[in-house]
Amino acid sequence: MKRVIYMLAVVLITAMSVQAQKARTIPAGVIGTNTTWFSDTVYTLDGYVYIKDAILTIQPGTIIRGGDPAKKSTIIVTRTGKLNAKGTVTQPIVFTSGKAAGMRAPGDWGGIVILGQAVINRPTDCSTCPGTAVAASLPGIQNAIEGDLDNASGDGLYGGTDNSHSSGELTY
């Protein structure tokens, strides 16, 4: 009997904790200060979210959803940003569609784009991309990521001369 009561209590606590999760929409734009996303909140992206001159830390067990597929919700770790998303085996970080289970499809959201400053093996440079002026001021060969992610601020650029550059950690 005690075992049955214990199991019911565990199920009830689990159900309450799932229902207790907060919801937060992350607007399109720049995360420009060190920020932490917590596991008690479900985050929904509302367009391109650039991590620039900051560190985004995502706690184990956090859920991140893509928003409206037409807005191409994407996390972009720029050359000056870092993503520290260190989930665990028992508490993975879940990146998924914002649609209900059974309705999800490839392309529901843009994913995670990590841009670094290491040497690249492309023989061309960013002479026609939106961030051309920024690219011209940086050392090494620069290119812009595909998919309309670059802008006049050069937030979609990758490449350079720093082979020891780190954009953070991504596990589980």
Side-chain angles (χ1 to χ4, degrees), residues 25-28 45-49 66-74 76 107-110 147 149:
T25 298
I26 305 299
L45 307 176
D46 192 33
Y48 295 148
V49 176
D68 180 352
K71 293 186 180 181
K72 304 176 187 172
S73 299
T74 306
I76 300 108
D108 282 349
W109 78 293
L149 298 179

Side-chain angles (χ1 to χ4, degrees), residues 51-149:
I51 305 169
K52 183 176 182 178
D53 301 321
I55 300 169
L56 173 60
T57 301
I58 302 176
Q59 288 187 335
T62 303
I63 298 171
I64 297 95
R65 298 184 186 280
D68 180 352
K71 293 186 180 181
K72 304 176 187 172
S73 299
T74 306
I75 295 174
I76 300 108
V77 183
T78 69
R79 296 166 35 89
T80 61
K82 286 191 180 207
L83 173 64
N84 285 329
K86 297 186 273 185
T88 67
V89 170
T90 57
Q91 290 187 299
I93 296 169
V94 177
F95 297 93
T96 188
S97 167
K99 293 182 180 178
M103 301 299 294
R104 297 177 183 149
D108 282 349
W109 78 293
I112 305 168
V113 177
I114 302 175
L115 306 168
Q117 298 179 27
V119 174
I120 60 175
N121 64 355
R122 294 193 58 168
T124 60
D125 63 1
C126 181
S127 59
T128 60
C129 63
T132 298
V134 175
S137 69
L138 297 171
I141 296 173
Q142 311 294 318
N143 260 307
I145 194 71
E146 297 175 15
D148 293 333
L149 298 179

